[in-house]
Amino acid sequence: MAADPARVRAPLLAWYDAHRRTMPWREAPSPWRTWVSEIMLQQTRVESVIPYFHRFLARFPDPAALAAAPLDEVLALWAGLGYYSRARSLHRAAQEVVERHGGEIPNDPETFGALTGVGPYTRGAVMSIAFGRAEPLVDGNVIRVLSRLDHIAEDPRRPAVSRRFWARAAELVVGERPGDLNQALMELGALVCRSRSPLCLVCPVAADCDARAAGTQEDLPLKPKRAERPVTTWTAGLARDDAGRLWLARRAGDGLLGGLWELPAVEHPADLATLGLTAGEPRGDVEHGFTHRVWRIAVVAATGTPHAGPPYDAVEAFAEDALPALSGPGIKALRAAGVELAHRRGAGRKPS
Ligand code: SF4
């Protein structure tokens, strides 16, 4: 049976006060710092986010500064964090904050939640942490803690089950320090109620944990089998201009990897001609896995002067020491072709 919220809240907050990790966005919190950090932290580890957070805030100290910047610059500062749709949405949302709210981040769940890219999680995080509102949030860590605490042995992706997690989180967040309570739930999931080998002996809510009582904690949350991901094959052309610079193409729009650069690629080798290139010798093969699909890319040497065409809205030649924001598959393809990219890592992983 689900424990009384008061029995969970008090020990959880006391544990958080004693054990919480120091993070730059937790010190001197502000709505903007909280918002940026929460977007960066989605799907990304804390240690990876910290240097990006400092750089981003130094360049964009408020929404107005981000709103005024060109998207290319925003993506370049994001390069390496992956999931670029987050950067595009934050950029757009900052413009909305300037256009609709005079540059002030709205202190209201409905109004803030209407901004581009602000889903229920981000809304709950900013409202509770930055504005002290009793708004719930649910992420992977919270799902793990609550599924064990209340022994919820159902697929968390099912809408009815998801509603149950949100309802429980909403029940728990009511009271003093809602932002800390939400962070405590997430921190407990990160440090104690871990996927494997949870540290139940030191857990502040162990006395009220149904999964621990049943000995089923490592079976929860339920993990549904992953469906086979469809595979798309690409042929990418490696061509240079007369000065030896690399021809790169930029994926159009807000879709998968939109705004990022890579070697011009087509799904059928013969179609390279539609981008103005003639295919030559093979240079390497790579595979890139997204959440719901897999790309296999065959890189070939190519000749010609490429031009824009679907799925690209721009083509440009770049010196190798001055490359723009590259897609994750683009980085892998360039490396497979022997292009040195020493200072880049992991850009464009699994966009959401
Ligand atoms: Fe997680 Fe164990 Fe704590 Fe239950 S007792 S919430 S399983 S760490």
Side-chain angles (χ1 to χ4, degrees):
M1 206 181 91
D4 185 79
R7 282 188 59 88
V8 176
R9 287 180 46 87
L12 194 53
L13 283 170
W15 173 84
Y16 183 67
D17 289 341
H19 298 284
R20 72 190 194 112
R21 291 169 291 178
T22 302
M23 296 179 194
W25 42 89
R26 284 185 176 161
E27 320 313 317
S30 74
W32 180 234
R33 287 166 66 86
T34 303
W35 186 6
V36 171
S37 68
E38 289 297 339
I39 297 291
M40 286 187 168
L41 285 164
Q42 289 167 24
Q43 320 283 349
T44 312
R45 288 151 46 92
V46 169
E47 309 81 69
S48 308
V49 164
I50 289 173
Y52 285 90
F53 177 79
H54 287 306
R55 278 198 295 271
F56 202 84
L57 265 288
R59 171 63 186 89
F60 308 122
D62 51 37
L66 179 60
L71 180 61
D72 269 352
E73 187 188 352
V74 179
L75 292 174
L77 265 181
W78 204 272
L81 263 183
Y83 296 87
Y84 285 87
S85 59
R86 298 179 301 177
R88 283 192 294 270
S89 294
L90 187 60
H91 184 233
R92 180 76 207 112
Q95 292 170 339
E96 292 165 358
V97 166
V98 170
E99 287 157 15
R100 298 181 201 160
H101 308 295
E104 289 290 316
I105 298 171
N107 176 2
D108 170 70
E110 296 300 316
T111 316
F112 181 66
L115 297 171
T116 295
V118 176
Y121 170 83
T122 306
R123 185 176 70 178
V126 173
M127 288 297 117
S128 65
I129 298 169
F131 291 118
R133 289 177 172 269
E135 289 289 323
L137 58 76
V138 172
D139 72 347
N141 281 328
V142 174
I143 286 175
R144 189 163 57 256
V145 171
L146 295 183
S147 69
R148 292 170 174 176
L149 195 63
D150 293 355
H151 208 289
I152 301 174
E154 294 175 272
D155 181 354
R157 294 187 307 185
R158 280 179 44 216
V161 183
S162 169
R163 281 196 293 276
R164 199 170 156 194
F165 284 110
W166 279 94
R168 181 63 156 149
E171 187 181 67
L172 289 172
V173 79
V174 175
E176 287 179 357
R177 304 169 57 193
D180 285 349
L181 192 287
N182 279 338
Q183 292 184 91
L185 271 177
M186 294 190 285
E187 196 83 329
L188 189 76
L191 300 181
V192 174
C193 196
R194 310 177 307 196
S195 298
R196 293 197 199 102
S197 310
L199 305 173
C200 302
L201 286 176
V202 297
C203 176
V205 294
D208 287 294
C209 178
D210 290 347
R212 187 186 183 222
T216 54
Q217 54 272 52
E218 295 216 36
D219 302 331
L220 297 173
L222 218 61
K223 291 180 193 66
K225 279 206 184 109
R226 196 167 178 161
E228 191 88 343
R229 291 176 292 175
V231 176
T232 308
T233 56
W234 295 91
T235 300
L238 180 88
R240 295 178 185 273
D241 69 0
D242 293 343
R245 296 176 304 178
L246 275 172
W247 282 111
L248 297 178
R250 185 177 66 193
R251 285 198 172 256
D254 294 332
L256 189 68
L257 307 181
L260 299 174
W261 295 80
E262 60 193 23
L263 294 174
V266 291
E267 290 195 36
H268 301 288
D271 289 347
L272 265 185
T274 65
L275 295 177
L277 292 174
T278 305
E281 291 297 305
R283 295 289 300 266
D285 295 299
V286 283
E287 186 169 295
H288 187 86
F290 298 98
T291 312
H292 299 296
R293 72 193 82 184
V294 173
W295 281 4
R296 292 205 182 110
I297 307 166
V299 187
V300 297
T303 51
T305 302
H307 50 74
Y312 302 109
D313 66 356
V315 168
E316 210 173 311
F318 294 91
E320 283 180 33
D321 59 359
L323 297 178
L326 300 169
S327 71
I331 288 173
K332 286 186 183 173
L334 283 164
R335 286 198 172 127
V339 177
E340 197 61 47
L341 298 169
H343 302 300
R344 295 176 188 255
R345 58 176 189 80
R349 290 167 301 157
K350 300 177 183 171
S352 47

